[in-house]
Amino acid sequence: MDIKSLVPGHTKTNLSRSDKAKKKSASSDASSAAAESDDSVSLTGAASKIGALVAQMKAAPVVDPDRVSPVKEKMDKGEYDIDYERVANKMLDFESSYYGY
């Protein structure tokens, strides 16, 4: 069963072996011509700055130990108090800024 005719937008083509060889030869000629060209890429000043910032962010630690260690100490001692009202307000602020209401 020929399933090519079942795919929408697909046209049935009948290529002979010589046609297939010609297509393959043409595509290899195009790829070799692309490999021989002297293309170059240059970045703008803004793109270079963005690249430097991305590299700087990747080098930065994921967690700030100066902020984490005091909280961890309080949690280990059982002295960490959660301000539920503040947490709820922060969640509402996030939702309103995210959804725009």
Side-chain angles (χ1 to χ4, degrees):
M1 180 177 168
D2 182 20
I3 62 170
K4 291 181 182 177
S5 61
L6 299 176
V7 179
H10 182 34
T11 59
K12 187 174 181 180
T13 58
N14 293 323
L15 294 177
S16 67
R17 289 185 184 194
S18 62
D19 291 339
K20 289 179 184 178
K22 288 178 188 174
K23 273 190 154 184
K24 187 176 182 180
S25 173
S27 67
S28 66
D29 290 344
S31 63
S32 64
E36 293 173 7
S37 68
D38 292 329
D39 291 338
S40 65
V41 175
S42 62
L43 300 176
T44 63
S48 297
K49 288 179 184 178
I50 291 171
L53 289 173
V54 167
Q56 184 180 3
M57 288 174 51
K58 286 182 179 180
V62 176
V63 177
D64 184 2
D66 294 336
R67 292 188 67 188
V68 172
S69 60
V71 173
K72 186 174 181 179
E73 288 175 15
K74 286 184 179 180
M75 288 179 69
D76 290 341
K77 294 177 185 176
E79 300 173 352
Y80 185 74
D81 295 322
I82 299 172
D83 185 356
Y84 297 103
E85 189 173 333
R86 182 172 180 239
V87 171
N89 284 331
K90 291 284 187 176
M91 290 173 68
L92 291 172
D93 289 345
F94 172 77
E95 291 290 323
S96 65
S97 68
Y98 187 75
Y99 292 110
Y101 49 74

